[in-house]
Every structure is written in structure tokens, then in C-alpha cells.
Amino acid sequence: MDAASLRKLLRRVAAGRASVEEAAQALADLPFAALGYATVDTHRGLRSGFPEVVFGERKTLPQLEGIVGVLAGRGQPVLVTRLAEDKAEALLRRWPQALWHAEARILHLPQGRRPRAGRVAVVCAGTSDIPVAEEAAVTAAALGAQVSRVYDVGVAGLHRLLRRRAEVQQADAAVVVAGMEGALASVVGGLVGVPVVAVPTSVGYGANLGGISALLTMVNSCAPNVAVVNVDNGFGGGFYAALVSRGRRR
Amino acid sequence: MDAASLRKLLRRVAAGRASVEEAAQALADLPFAALGYATVDTHRGLRSGFPEVVFGERKTLPQLEGIVGVLAGRGQPVLVTRLAEDKAEALLRRWPQALWHAEARILHLPQGRRPRAGRVAVVCAGTSDIPVAEEAAVTAAALGAQVSRVYDVGVAGLHRLLRRRAEVQQADAAVVVAGMEGALASVVGGLVGVPVVAVPTSVGYGANLGGISALLTMVNSCAPNVAVVNVDNGFGGGFYAALVSRGRRR
Amino acid sequence: MDAASLRKLLRRVAAGRASVEEAAQALADLPFAALGYATVDTHRGLRSGFPEVVFGERKTLPQLEGIVGVLAGRGQPVLVTRLAEDKAEALLRRWPQALWHAEARILHLPQGRRPRAGRVAVVCAGTSDIPVAEEAAVTAAALGAQVSRVYDVGVAGLHRLLRRRAEVQQADAAVVVAGMEGALASVVGGLVGVPVVAVPTSVGYGANLGGISALLTMVNSCAPNVAVVNVDNGFGGGFYAALVSRGRRR
Amino acid sequence: MDAASLRKLLRRVAAGRASVEEAAQALADLPFAALGYATVDTHRGLRSGFPEVVFGERKTLPQLEGIVGVLAGRGQPVLVTRLAEDKAEALLRRWPQALWHAEARILHLPQGRRPRAGRVAVVCAGTSDIPVAEEAAVTAAALGAQVSRVYDVGVAGLHRLLRRRAEVQQADAAVVVAGMEGALASVVGGLVGVPVVAVPTSVGYGANLGGISALLTMVNSCAPNVAVVNVDNGFGGGFYAALVSRGRRR
Amino acid sequence: MDAASLRKLLRRVAAGRASVEEAAQALADLPFAALGYATVDTHRGLRSGFPEVVFGERKTLPQLEGIVGVLAGRGQPVLVTRLAEDKAEALLRRWPQALWHAEARILHLPQGRRPRAGRVAVVCAGTSDIPVAEEAAVTAAALGAQVSRVYDVGVAGLHRLLRRRAEVQQADAAVVVAGMEGALASVVGGLVGVPVVAVPTSVGYGANLGGISALLTMVNSCAPNVAVVNVDNGFGGGFYAALVSRGRRR
Amino acid sequence: MDAASLRKLLRRVAAGRASVEEAAQALADLPFAALGYATVDTHRGLRSGFPEVVFGERKTLPQLEGIVGVLAGRGQPVLVTRLAEDKAEALLRRWPQALWHAEARILHLPQGRRPRAGRVAVVCAGTSDIPVAEEAAVTAAALGAQVSRVYDVGVAGLHRLLRRRAEVQQADAAVVVAGMEGALASVVGGLVGVPVVAVPTSVGYGANLGGISALLTMVNSCAPNVAVVNVDNGFGGGFYAALVSRGRRR
Amino acid sequence: MDAASLRKLLRRVAAGRASVEEAAQALADLPFAALGYATVDTHRGLRSGFPEVVFGERKTLPQLEGIVGVLAGRGQPVLVTRLAEDKAEALLRRWPQALWHAEARILHLPQGRRPRAGRVAVVCAGTSDIPVAEEAAVTAAALGAQVSRVYDVGVAGLHRLLRRRAEVQQADAAVVVAGMEGALASVVGGLVGVPVVAVPTSVGYGANLGGISALLTMVNSCAPNVAVVNVDNGFGGGFYAALVSRGRRR
Amino acid sequence: MDAASLRKLLRRVAAGRASVEEAAQALADLPFAALGYATVDTHRGLRSGFPEVVFGERKTLPQLEGIVGVLAGRGQPVLVTRLAEDKAEALLRRWPQALWHAEARILHLPQGRRPRAGRVAVVCAGTSDIPVAEEAAVTAAALGAQVSRVYDVGVAGLHRLLRRRAEVQQADAAVVVAGMEGALASVVGGLVGVPVVAVPTSVGYGANLGGISALLTMVNSCAPNVAVVNVDNGFGGGFYAALVSRGRRR
């Protein structure tokens, strides 16, 4: 119910063409129903051009085919994350125009208006962190960002990172992916002035506590331009950085 | 805006005493604003006669006087929890009809329609748990429940509990307050058939982890009629039990 | 030993037909034995019509057949929870009148007096939470409750929940099932006035700590009408809500 | 050693006024020393106009006077956070042009070029969270942001938040400050499309674990536009949001 | 009602000095009430001569005077643990025959039959652990044990312990009190064959987690003759060891 | 080197038949070497008749055959715990006189002097706890204890335990095995006067944290006759209880 | 750019064979690029003769072959840790001169200058800890240390350790590997004066928390000559001890 | 009894100035007592010149005066750590030659043979970490090390550390003291080749968990030349580094 139909209803009441009771009834669920539409609308406007995202893990192939079918039908881009290879192959047979990013485990069906975002640097510590970094990079790219990959620059060999500092500095936002002790986020935060989204990974052993140690490191960062998302949440890191990189043009 | 005033407004439109524009204006923010009222309304209806609750901790005396003044002015009962004694005395000087429950640290200003609820048994393990138990008991009573206190019946002397089992069994809901290992909730849950609200307390030492040990005990209870609220949250336990005890008459 | 047989024994002592020693012997275990019967009785009365519940996990097929055989023989309804599909099929071959709820992993053998309970709404956040929600819903239904399922209404798209608020409000108790950050329990608790039983799930990744994060969220809820059961404990949530929904008619 | 002095040195070598050995010596520590200057430079450029920040906790008054004296002397704005009232008063006597934000516990000495940032909304759940929210708000304002305060909109009364959704939606970034179960971050993240910086607070009791429960809630958020900083770190939240709000104009 | 008074009652019935009805009345609450007595009785028999124990912490002086008064009146020995010095002095003025163990913070009122137990060795690691060790030693002595104190024998100077091994070996049970890393329990367990009751203490700093680290060390002990009680629970350690030391003579 | 050979050496020095240097050399390692023998001796004496125990998990069949071969050759009884069924069968082919306890996963080769211990009651909460309980029971029996099994007496149906209280009370020590919330240890500790060894198990789900919740419950027990061993450590529980049950006759 | 080529460039400038601009260009990226080389250089100098280390876990055979190929080509020794047996066999076929340490899961390709280090003792508690101990021992030996293995000397049988104390005392550094309660590190630290590197292992069950309990024990050690590395990190322990054992000759 | 007095005794036996019986008596307790002396001796030899260390916290002034009196009387240097200022002043009045290091809270009484150790660099992140760093530096100096202080070089401004890398590289061992996220240890470990002893501090707020976050960071370090001691354990860090710095000359 929008402003127009509300006025129309009130006019019918004023004209005696609708009883008070009828109108009260019609307005009964207004607060909730109307909000729903408003919210959907808002979100659509907000994220204009951003793809719909499907979390692929734990979903069966028929479920995935159903969901992707509906979303694809709307002409919007679709992103399926955490997808197993065999399911990806099945989906590709049906949507051959989709792109399969094996290391990121993301299937991307680009269509409709191309989203626009800024520059995002994805930095990662070790080779074992690359799958999570790729999830971030592919996500950010699908959201319209230009992505620079700065991989294998862990703090145990700081010179590797220092050599590539400029690439990170020139981005609008950086995703830093690191497991083990997760110190890379603070170091990058100290070296550049851009907002850093830190993604702890479960890579490590012993006292890494499945990534919680790295998460604590990052949350306690002494650099004020570091904020943190969940362990192994490459998608979240890439999404957040792309959103930030869009800046004022939202 | 509640149902009554909505109808009143519509009637004024129907009678020509309010223009369509005026009414549209009044309803302008309906999707969001109306929701607010609707929610408040719903809650008010729901909890009819339930007092407004003020969390007294961390509030200054002037803040408390301001809030209580507003609420008291609406003619509804007011409950101030976690209140320090000196602030209670100051409030009592201004609202001498209020009741001060020292052990529960609750100030109760009963007025308006008396709330109605069922029977609630408040069970506690040791004498150190009594302040939390009293917070539960006074809260439940203020919400209209008839409260039985079954105190000092810890599992180390099971016969004390067994002797008073009937009192708990006859209630509509039981609050079980226990610190240390928190085993009492499971034992009561096994002895009676009523819904049990378990309140872990921070009473204990060493590995009680400030009440988390008791909370874990209660959440892992093998009795299916046990649900749990926060550590030392006597108010929550009493509120929940009183709500349950009202049964279908809601 | 009930009051009658106690008096009978005393009369035999008074009449010299039983020696003091014989009577002392007969009364030796009284406190414990008698309690046992009393407790059983009480429970039976209390839960009248409630099915016997068998925890199916970790039990072999022969064990399950034995237990279900005994319980079924008493003419009472039986509920087997956490049951593997292959074992369910074997049990169905022997008790073809039983109902198999695949998603809830519950086998239900309805017989005897139909249990009576009130209305229970089962709310869940995401599709991955549905198995736990179904465990709650099937349990509550087997205990006699009328169950409304309000699924896939996570807080990231609040409008979906708002649109269905009324269904939850009209219930006598609500079960809220949510993983990840578990915020749904607080939101539902704030929107409706009924007692909410929150069931955290282990759905999520990284820092969800196997559901402990969601459990902590729920236990810390700022809504006083929320109490919590164990992680993934759909059975417990459904049982507790059904018990609450029976209200005073216990 | 900057580019100019490097060239000067080389020219002296070319002119025979410096021996190869002398030049090699002078360049010996180049990799490290030069980097230092480079980094400082970069940062200064980056944060142009951002104030220097002094963490006031644990510092004595003489230490504070010394540090502020040096920084103030450079003509740059200065921000002292976590400052005790008595020390603030002493500093104000010496720098009467400074602004003291009592609730935020921040002393702000504005001078030099005014920093420029975008719009930041600071949202908080309860009145007890206001000191942390104010720390965020004052920080963001000192960094040049236009700040909207949306306070006391906890999820237990969702309508209060819904009524003010537009204010948050129109910001370039939002800081969400919440203790207890911390659900507000997810709810705001679901309602608006802007980047949300979540600040868990230690407000709460029992199982809130000094804010760790709220932190876990926020890190596990199902809304992808939520990233998290440390418990009670209002400064960090305000800084990050201001940085994000500057967008591409960096 | 103990065995003796039950037989006495039955004899009175047999002799016609008590009517059946009177006896039935007296036994009316037997299932529950009698259990209580039975339990108390059992315990009394079991622990014959063991003092009644009062946990002194959190109790006011009037409460303590009341409780000690009642217990002392029964002619049984009384032990008040965790007692503050000023309250001890007040109690001593009223019961000058009581013994005050300042370091153990225990007040002991010996009277009635002297309890009998075996030999208990109390071993502790550092001087900071002595208050807990003394709580154990005084408790065990009050329960009738002969106590050897083997103090300041931490594993960092193993020779000190080795020199006194025989004293521990000759005991019937040993209490091992240790903070920091708590390794002493395993070392003692490996050196002697007697049952060891390990008491972790909160002594230490940093990662000792208030004694939880020592508790974990002790629970994971590779010596099978080590069992553990709560952090700083010297009373529990002394009680358990004294109970064990009584051996078969129970 | 015992007293005799020490004197002999000194006499040779006195007689000039051994140089000071030779004697110093011979005594060089005395402190350590001598201690070693002493310790072995002591332990042998102490545990006289107790079987040698082999932890079977993680050992290959050849390793097991080698170790058992050596131990069996000494004529002492042998206990192999945590043994896989297929390895047990292989060992039984070689030592057909050994006893295989399948549920306890223990292989027992009884030979030599029969160990002597007292009466041990093994109590457990649910059927899923039985393997751990059997490990305790078989261990205690192999150490010479007379074992009573009191199984399936969880606190959710307290009457079952109460009916069998006497069996536990008559033992010299009780092992209480419980998972989930682990409340059984406190309840048994409160009902009987014997030393209770509590064994938490990893049985449960959700917030049981692999048995840590039950362990915390037991360590926080309000009953002073409860001490705790590691999670699932049935062997440790049985060993400790058997040791305690031997009493003074050690 | 190393020292030699820097001098060469400067000489060309001095000789007029390179213009100042050319040289400035060549040095343009010096601060960062040169740092890289410098660091590598420094490290190489430092660790002179230390092998390059490849973490073998999670790497595919082709990846391993590629990396080992490159490193082997430089003529330096190579160490591949955490290597699966089948991959080791494949690498051995290609580099038959390599040594395969099955229990340590390390492949060692010795070549080039032999590294030099001091004496390292590797001490371990139980047979289950041997794989981690061997990882430490083989690593230290590959770094040039003379390694003494002192295995199976857990604290439950202290005499075994005492008998071999001298071997540990004579080393320049000791690695102590222990799971379960990890008490061995403190005991060894107390017995010898050399620096001890403690390696907690995940060996144990129940409350060992995957090695975290042992880690806490070691970090809380009361012996000041104990420092700790990660759980199961035998490589780290061996590396650190070998580094320490080289002493001043670095 | 050390080697010298043993030989003296034997020589007296050889010379007939001591009877065999006298000597046997003197050696009677050798297995245990001698071990004690041996151990002390060994340690003394080992640590030759190292001061005796007294942990000052929790000790009363009279206790401190007693202990220092005894130690000082032996002519050895004494170190009192964690000492309150007022107690330090009292001790200084009695031992005016002692040195009081206020920030380190260490009192040092240098006397006897001067200990000898190598070069130790003490690196710390922020000004709040300085007290712990000073405790390390003063300890290492008192043990004979030449100490370089490299303070305030946290990773948020990496250039500060890079500029001073050489100072750290030239040491024989480095202590790295850091709170908050503790990333400095990994960064230093990656930049230099010397053994690094990492000391986490409790400096920080929110999720630093009293230093446990920094400890986890350091234990998970990807640099193999990092080992860790307890939170805030500056003494331990300084002691370990000094010990390492002595190298082979032990």
C-alpha cells in the first residue's frame, strides 16, 4: 500500500463508499505488510546491480537448480558460493554462460546491468590461505570491483609485502586474509591508509583453535583502520570491501 | 496509534470532520511509525497489567526519578530492578506507596489494574542464591503470580528437596536458582512435570567461571522440561515463569 | 507401600501377628522404594497422554526394536528421535502404523489417548536450520500441539518476519530456531508477547563455535520472554513449548 | 634520505667529491631508514587532516601534557581518548580552546586544516551503551564526518529502530554499538545497505563474558555488510566509519 | 526418625502403648520425610564424629552466631571455613573454647566424640599456596586425621620433594596443593602409591586463568592415582583425603 | 648402591685399596641412580598384585604383542585398555587364557598373586555412558575389587537411583559416570557417605563441549566427597576407586 | 641489489659510465626492493648453512616437486616437513640421495656446506609423543646439532628421567615434548640449567583440549628456563633449540 | 655436599681421620639428600654468578627482610621482582647499596662474582608495555647481559621498527614484549635471525582477554625463531634471553 492507494482509500471513506470498518480492516496489517515491501524496495535500490548471492553449502543439486532458476529468470546476476565441484558442473551444463571459479568455489552468472565498484586489493599470507583469498577476490570482482591480488606476503618475510605496498595503497579498500597468528592484518593496516577488512582463516595447527586465534589477533589490532569478519569468510570480506570501494556513489 | 484511534480517525473522515489530506498526513509514516504503535499496543495488550520494568543498575538518581516519574504518571505499575539501597530510599521518599524489597533489590510501585498470573514456585539451592531467588520471586509476584518459596534445598542434601516436592509440583511453572554445579535444575526437572526456568548464579568459586559452569550444566540438562536464562538473571526467570503461568488466558 | 498397607502392617504389629523386627525390616527401605512409586505415578499423571520418548542416536536396531516393542505394548504413543533412515525403515516394517518424519528424523507411533496441548509456532532463520525446526515441530505436534511453521525469516531480511508476526503472536508459545549469530530469538521476543523457547543451532562457520555463539546470544537476550535450550536440541524446544502451551489445564 | 638527497649524493660521486666507498656506506642502511621516511610520508598524505590520536588511559598528566604539547605545536588537530575527567580539566586549563566531551571521555583540540569526511550514523542499543557510542560519534565528527545519533533502539523494541531507519540508510557508513546479545548489528545490517561497523560493548551481565558474547554475535552476523572491531572500541568504530565515509576522495 | 526410634515406635504399638492411628500419623510423611531422616541418619552414621561444616564466606556475623549456636548446642564439633578474622574474633568471644586457625581461616569448635581417621599428608608447591594447604590440613585434622605438612616442594626444585618423599608415602592419602602449572600433582602421584587429591590454586599470573590452567593439568594427569577437586578448595581436598584415610573402618 | 656396598666402598678407601678419585667417581652418579632403584622398589611394593597396565590406543599389533609378551613373562597380571576388537582377537589367539571385555574394550590376563581390594560401586547415568562405566568396572575388578554395577540411574528419573542407594552406600568407594550435565555425581555424593570418584563422559550434544561441561559440573560439586578424573577416563575412575577401597591394608 | 652490484653501479657513476639520472632510476625502488634482498641476505648470512624448509602438508606432489626442484637447484640443503609417506616415496625416486625419516615425516636432502650447531637433547614423555619428538630431533640434526634422544621419561615414573639427567644437562639446549598434562617441561626445567624449549602435544584425551591444556601448563611453568612453541610443533622446537645451541658462533 | 667436600671426606677416610662409620653416616641420606645438594650444586655451577631471585608479590615486609637477609648473607647477588615501592624503600634503608628500578619494580643487590652473559635486545610495542619490558631488561642486565632497549616500535608504524632492526640483529637473543594483538613477535622474528623470546602483555582492552589473545598470536607465530613465556612475565623473558645469550660458555 503506497501513498496513492492510501489516499484513494481515505477518499472512499470520506465519500461514504467504504465503511469505517472496511477501511480499518484494510489498514489492519498495514504496518507490517507495507514495511515488507518498503524494505525490499530499499534494498534493491541500495544494492543496485549487486548480484543475488546463494550459499551453496548444504544445498542439494535440485535445490540449487530451483533457486538459481528463479534468480536467473529475473535477469539479475547470480553468485553461488561454497559450491562443490560436481554440483558446479551440473549447473554449468544448464547455464553454460556461467563462470566457474574452482579455487574460490564460486559460480558466477553475470547478466543484467554490470555492477560498479572501486579498486580492491586482496592480500594473503600463505599459499594455504589462497582459497579464502580467491573467494574474496572473485566476490569483489563480481560486485564490480577491480581486484589486485597480492598473495604470499606473510610477515615472516616482510620484504615480500613491502615490495608490493603501493598496490595495496592505491586501492579503495583492502581485504587481508591470514591464518596462523593473523599478524598480517595489523602490518598492512600500519602500512597503508585504506580501510582494511581482515579475514582470519582456519589455516594453522595446534593453538590456532580453528581460526579463533587469528580472529582475536585481528580484533585486537592496534591499527584503527582494521575491521574483521568471520573465520574463512572470504565472501564476506570481498563483499564488504567492494561495498566500501563504491564510496559516495551509492 | 491503536485500533481505537485509527477507527476514530476514519470515522472523522467519514463524517467530514477530517479532510483526506489531514488523515493521509496522520497516517504518513504509517509503515514505520504505525508499526511502532502497533508493537507497543500489542505488547501492552499482551502483557495487560504487567508493570513497566526499569533496570536500575548504572542509572543515576536523577535519571531514575525522571523515568519513574513518567511511568508512574501513566498509572501503570512500575518495577525498578537491581536498585542500590540508597537510591531506593530516595525514591521511597518521593513515592512512599512504593514497596522496597531489600534482598531482591527491587522497588515496586503497584497501581492500576492488578495483573493476573498463576502459581509460580521459586526453588533455590543455597542461602547465597537467595538474593537472585528473591529477585525472581518478587518479580513474579509483581506480575500477579502466587509465589511459593522453596529455599535451601540443594542436591547435597536431597531429602530437603524431596520433602517439599509437592509444593513445586502444584505450581504452573517453577524457577530453579542454583550456583556452584547447578545440578538442582535437572533434579527438579526430573521430579516434577511443570515447565522449569533455570537461573544459574555466579555463586561458587574456582572453576564455576562466574556462573558459566552452572549455565552449561543447565543447558545440557537431560530433563526436557528445563529451559535456561542468563546468569544471575532472577528478573528474567521470574518474568518468564509468570508469563508461562498465565497459560491460555493470555 | 501406600497408606492402607502401612496401616495394615501396623495393625498386625498391634495384634502381635507381626514382630517388631519383621515390621522394621518391611519398613527399612520404605523411604526409597515408596518414593520411587510416587515419582513414577506423579510423572504419569502429569504428562498424561504425552508419548514416551526414545533417543535413537547411538542405539542399535535390535536395541531400538526391543525398547519400542516394550513401550508400544503398553498402548502409549512412542516417539523415537535422532533416528537414522535405515533404522526407521526397519522399524516401519514392523510397526507399519508408525509415521516417519524424514527431515525431523523422528518416528512417531501414535496410539492410546490423544495428548492435548495448545498452539505452538516454530520459527526458523535459514533453510539450513529446518531439520532442527522440524524436530521441534514434529515433537510439539506429537504432544498434541497445533503447530504453525514460520520458516526462513532470518534477521538479514527483517520484512519476511514482520509479515508473519501475527502467526507467532497468536500462538501460546514459540520455538525460535537459529544458527549463525542467533539474533532471531531476541527479535521475535521483542515482537511478540508469548514465551519464546530459543534453540541455537550449529549452523554457521568459523567463529560460531559449533553453536555456542548462538547459544550465548540467546542467553544474553535483552527480551525477558526468551529462555534457551541446548544447541540443535529441536526435541527439547518442541517439548518445552508444547508443555507451556498446555497452560493451566495440566 | 629522500629522492633529492639521493640525487645529490650520486652527483657528488659522479663529480668525484665522494668516493664509491663513502657512498656505499651512506646507502648501507638505506633500505630500512629510507623506508621509514617513505612510510611516514605516505601516511601523512593519506590521512591528510586527520587528527593525531593519543590514547589517554594509563598515561600520567605530565606525560599527557608533554605529548599534547608536541603535537599541538605542529599545528595539527589532536584527539585524546579514554581521558579521566580530572586530567581533562588540567589540560583544558592549558589549552582552553580544546573541547571536552565528557560522556565520550575525549578531549579534542581542533586546529589546522579541517578534515573532510562523509555522513556517519551512530546507532546504539541501550542507554548503557551511550558512552561507547559517544566515543564513536565524537571521533567521527573530529575526523570531519557529519554524525547522526540514533540511540536507544535495541531489538527488544524493534519499532524504535524501524522509525529511524531512514537516518541510517542515508549515511555513508554506520557504527552500531551494542552490548548484551549484540543482535542489533545484524538487524541494522539487514535493514540498510551501507557498510556497518559493529562495536560490541561489555554492557550486560552473566554470560556476556565482558563483551565477548556480543563480539561473537557480530562476527557471525548473517548480514554481509557487517564488520567488527574490538569490545568497547568506540574510537575504532568511529575512525573506521569516518574513513569509509570519505569514499573515493581519499 | 532413625532405626532405633522406629523400632521403639513399633514396640509401643506392639505393647499397645501407641494406637495404630498414632503410629500411622507419625509415619505419614514417611516416603519423603523419613527419607530425609534416613539420609541424615545414614550420613551421620557414616561420618560419625565428623564435624558439621559451615561455609563462612558471605555470611553476616548474626547469621554465623545463629548457626554456630544451634550446631554447638547439639554437642557436635563445628567447623567454620572461609571465615574473616574480625568475625572469628567475635565468635571466639562467645565460644572461647574454639580454636582459630588464622592462615587456614577456619574456626574449629571441638566437642563430642573425637572423630577418627588415618594419616594424611598435605603437600604444597610454593609459599603462596600455603593458605589453601592449611585449609586442607586443618580440615583433615579436625576430621581426626594425623596430618603431615610437606610444604614448599615445587617441581622447579625437585630435590626438596624427593627428600621428603617418605613422609608422603607413609600416609593413607595425600592432598597436593599447587598453582601456576600445577605439575606437582603428577609428580607426587608418580612418586607415591597412595591416593592423591589434587587441589589447584589460583596462585600464578597471566595464563593461569585463575587456577583453571592448574586444574586442567591435574585432570589430565598421567598418574592414575590422582583425582581433582575445585580451584582453591582446600576444605574439599582435606575432607576427601580424611574420608579416604579412614579406609574400611567406616 | 645400598648401605652395605657404600660401607664396603668406604672401607676400601680407608684401607687404601681404593683411591679417593675412584671412590668419588663411583659416587658421582649416586644421587640419581640410587633414587631410580628406590622408586621402582617402592612402587612395586605399593601396588603389590596390581596388574601392569598398557594403554592400547595408537599402538600397533606388533607393539602390543611385544609389550604384553614381556609383561606376561614376568608372571604379573596384565591389563590392556582402549583396545580395538581386531587386535584383541589377535592377542587372544596367542594368550587364550586372557579375558576380553568387549564393552569395556579391556583385555585382562590374570596371573600371579591375586590383587586384593574392597567393594566398589560403579554408577552410571544413561545407556550411552555404559562403555566408560564398564571400563571402570572391569578395571576395578581386575585390581581385586568386588564391583556392583548400578546403571541407568540418571537424575531425570531420580526414583531409579533412590531405589538402589543402599548398594552404593555399602561400597568402600563409588565411581559415578555421567555425561550431559553430569549432575549425577553431586546427587550420589549427597546420598551416600563414601568417597565418590566422578568420571565425566563426552556423551551429549551441543553445549556439552565434548565432556567439559560435565567435568565443570563435577568439579564444582557442592558435595565434599566428590573428586574428579578426566573425561571418559573410566580406567582412571576404576583404578582410583579400587585404590581407595583397599584402605589401610596397603 | 646486493652490496656488490651497488658498488658496481656507484663505480660506473664515478667513472661517468652511468648518468646520475640512470643511477637514481635504478635506485628508485631501493627502499622497498632493496630491503627484500637485504633481508634475504641477512637471513642467509644468519642462518648460514641452515636448510630451506618446506611445509609439506596440504601441498600436492607436483607442487612439492616444483619447490624442491628449485631449492635443490641452488645447492642448498632442503627439509620437507609433515610429508605423507606416498609423496616421500615419489620424491625419493627423483632425489635418491635424500633421506626419509618416516616417524618424523621429514624428507632431508643434505647438500652444500654442512650447517654447524651445538648439542641438543630431545626429551619426551610417552611413546605417543615420539612422532613429534622425532620431528624435533631430525630438524635439529639437519641444522647441524648433535642430538641426544631421551625418550619415554614421563613424570609418572620420575626415576627414568632422573637416571638420564646428565644427558640433558650436558646439552646446549633441550627440547621437551609432552602431551597429557605436560608437566615434564617444568620438571626438566627444574633439573637442568639449560634453555628448555617446550613442545606441547595433542596426545591425551578428554580435557586435554587438543593440546591446549599441555600448552597452558608449560606457559605457566614455574621454571624460568622454559619457553614454549605451538602444539605438536616438533619442527619449531627443534629449530629453536638448534638456533640456541649455536650460541655466540652465529 | 659438593664434589669438593665429598673428596675431602673421602680423603679424611683414606687418611684415617674419619671412620668408615662416620663417613657412612654423613652419606646416609645420600640418595635423596645428596640429590638435593647435587641439584643445587649443578644449578649453582650452571648459573654461576646468576643472582638468587625472590618473587616479591604477596610477600610481607618482614618476610622479604628475612629472605633477603639470608641470601645477602651468602654473598650472592639478589634480585627481588614484582616489588611494591613502599617495601622497596624499606629494604633500601637496610641495604643502601641495592639498586631500585622503579619502572621494572625490581630491587637488585649486586655483590659477589659478576655474572657474564651476551647481548640481549629488549623490543616493545607501546609505551604501556614498558613496565614489562623494563622487568625483562633489568633482569637480563642483572644476569650479566648487555641490554639494548628498542621501545615503542609497534607494527602500526612499521618504519620505527625497521629503522632499528640492526640493533636487534646484533644481539644474541631478543625479548619481544607486546600486548594488544601481539603481532610484533612474528614481525621481529621475520626480520632477524636471533632467537626471540616473546612476552605477551595484558595491555589492551576488550577481546585481549587479559593477554591471552597476544599469547595465542605468539604461540601461533609463523616465524620458527619465536618461543613464548607467560603473560606479563618480563622476568621470565629476560632470564631466558640472558641464559640463551651466554651460549656455549656455560
Side-chain angles (χ1 to χ4, degrees), chain F residues 154-231:
Chain F
V155 298
L158 204 57
H159 55 287
R160 292 175 302 190
L161 171 60
L162 293 172
R163 237 187 255 132
R164 304 191 62 185
R165 196 182 60 97
E167 288 173 67
V168 185
Q169 179 59 48
Q170 282 150 17
D172 294 303
V175 181
V176 174
V177 177
M180 304 196 67
E181 87 276 56
L184 188 61
S186 291
V187 171
V188 171
L191 281 178
V192 302
V194 304
V196 170
V197 191
V199 185
T201 74
S202 55
V203 169
Y205 49 107
N208 75 327
L209 306 177
I212 296 297
S213 289
L215 187 148
L216 287 170
T217 305
M218 289 165 168
V219 161
N220 284 291
S221 178
C222 50
N225 53 338
V226 173
V228 186
V229 297
N230 205 348
V231 175

Side-chain angles (χ1 to χ4, degrees), chain C residues 154-159 161-162 180-184 186-187 189-191 204-209 212-214 216-224, chain D residues 154-159 161-162 180-184 186-187 189-191 204-209 212-214 216-224:
Chain C
V155 297
L158 204 56
H159 55 287
L161 171 61
L162 293 171
M180 304 198 66
E181 87 277 56
L184 188 60
S186 291
V187 172
L191 281 178
Y205 49 106
N208 73 329
L209 306 178
I212 296 296
S213 289
L216 288 169
T217 304
M218 290 164 168
V219 160
N220 283 290
S221 178
C222 50
Chain D
V155 298
L158 204 55
H159 55 286
L161 171 61
L162 292 171
M180 302 196 66
E181 86 275 57
L184 188 62
S186 290
V187 171
L191 281 178
Y205 49 106
N208 75 328
L209 306 176
I212 296 295
S213 288
L216 287 171
T217 304
M218 289 164 168
V219 161
N220 283 291
S221 177
C222 51

Side-chain angles (χ1 to χ4, degrees), chain E residues 20 22 32 56 58 73 84 87 152-153 159 161 202 208 229 233-234:
Chain E
V20 163
E22 271 175 282
F32 296 101
R58 304 197 188 202
K87 291 176 190 163
D152 201 14
V153 294
H159 54 287
L161 171 61
S202 56
N208 75 327
V229 299
N233 189 4

Side-chain angles (χ1 to χ4, degrees), chain G:
Chain G
M1 171 163 300
D2 57 17
S5 54
L6 174 63
R7 277 188 177 76
K8 199 166 156 188
L9 175 66
L10 290 171
R11 263 186 247 114
R12 291 180 62 225
V13 172
R17 288 204 307 275
S19 72
V20 162
E21 207 42 44
E22 270 176 282
Q25 209 88 338
L27 292 169
D29 279 336
L30 199 63
F32 297 101
L35 176 70
Y37 287 104
T39 305
V40 165
D41 248 24
T42 307
H43 276 202
R44 187 156 303 158
L46 252 161
R47 298 177 178 160
S48 92
F50 266 31
E52 303 270 356
V53 180
V54 181
F55 189 71
E57 214 166 86
R58 300 198 190 201
K59 292 208 174 64
T60 63
L61 184 54
Q63 288 178 320
L64 287 167
E65 288 180 326
I67 297 170
V68 174
V70 168
L71 295 176
R74 294 187 193 158
Q76 270 212 320
V78 182
L79 217 55
V80 189
T81 65
R82 302 271 166 127
L83 188 63
E85 182 127 31
D86 56 337
K87 290 175 190 164
E89 280 164 9
L91 295 177
L92 280 166
R93 274 192 291 276
R94 199 159 141 191
W95 289 279
Q97 74 277 33
L99 305 167
W100 169 235
H101 303 272
E103 191 141 36
R105 291 194 296 151
I106 290 180
L107 187 99
H108 181 204
L109 180 63
Q111 55 177 11
R113 186 151 71 85
R114 228 192 135 269
R116 298 270 294 275
R119 279 166 300 170
V120 167
V122 178
V123 183
C124 88
T127 51
S128 306
D129 300 316
I130 289 180
V132 177
E134 275 299 298
E135 195 185 40
V138 169
T139 297
L143 268 63
Q146 285 170 268
V147 175
S148 316
R149 285 164 173 85
V150 181
Y151 287 2
D152 201 14
V153 293
V155 298
L158 204 56
H159 55 286
R160 292 175 302 190
L161 171 60
L162 292 172
R163 237 187 254 131
R164 303 191 62 185
R165 196 182 60 98
E167 289 173 66
V168 185
Q169 179 60 46
Q170 282 151 16
D172 294 304
V175 182
V176 175
V177 177
M180 305 196 65
E181 87 275 57
L184 188 61
S186 291
V187 171
V188 171
L191 281 178
V192 302
V194 304
V196 170
V197 192
V199 185
T201 74
S202 56
V203 169
Y205 50 107
N208 73 327
L209 306 177
I212 296 298
S213 289
L215 187 148
L216 288 170
T217 303
M218 290 165 168
V219 161
N220 283 292
S221 178
C222 50
N225 55 337
V226 172
V228 186
V229 298
N230 204 349
V231 175
D232 289 337
N233 189 4
F235 163 72
F239 184 100
Y240 198 91
L243 191 63
V244 165
S245 77
R246 297 175 73 190
R248 272 288 173 77
R249 292 167 312 170
R250 275 190 307 272

Side-chain angles (χ1 to χ4, degrees), chain A residues 154-159 161-162 180-184 186-187 189-191 204-209 212-214 216-224, chain H residues 154-159 161-162 180-184 186-187 189-191 204-209 212-214 216-224:
Chain A
V155 296
L158 204 57
H159 55 286
L161 170 61
L162 292 172
M180 305 196 65
E181 87 275 57
L184 189 60
S186 290
V187 172
L191 281 178
Y205 49 108
N208 73 327
L209 306 178
I212 295 297
S213 288
L216 287 170
T217 304
M218 290 164 168
V219 160
N220 282 291
S221 178
C222 51
Chain H
V155 298
L158 204 55
H159 55 286
L161 171 60
L162 292 171
M180 303 196 66
E181 85 277 57
L184 188 62
S186 291
V187 172
L191 281 177
Y205 49 106
N208 74 329
L209 306 177
I212 296 296
S213 288
L216 287 171
T217 304
M218 290 165 168
V219 160
N220 283 291
S221 177
C222 51

Side-chain angles (χ1 to χ4, degrees), chain E residues 78-144:
Chain E
V78 182
L79 217 56
V80 188
T81 65
R82 304 270 167 127
L83 187 63
E85 183 127 29
D86 56 338
K87 291 176 190 163
E89 281 164 10
L91 294 177
L92 281 166
R93 276 191 290 277
R94 198 158 141 191
W95 289 277
Q97 74 276 35
L99 307 166
W100 169 234
H101 303 270
E103 191 140 36
R105 292 194 295 152
I106 289 180
L107 186 98
H108 181 203
L109 178 63
Q111 54 178 14
R113 187 152 70 85
R114 229 193 133 269
R116 298 270 295 277
R119 280 166 301 171
V120 168
V122 178
V123 183
C124 88
T127 51
S128 306
D129 300 316
I130 289 179
V132 177
E134 276 299 298
E135 194 186 41
V138 169
T139 298
L143 269 63

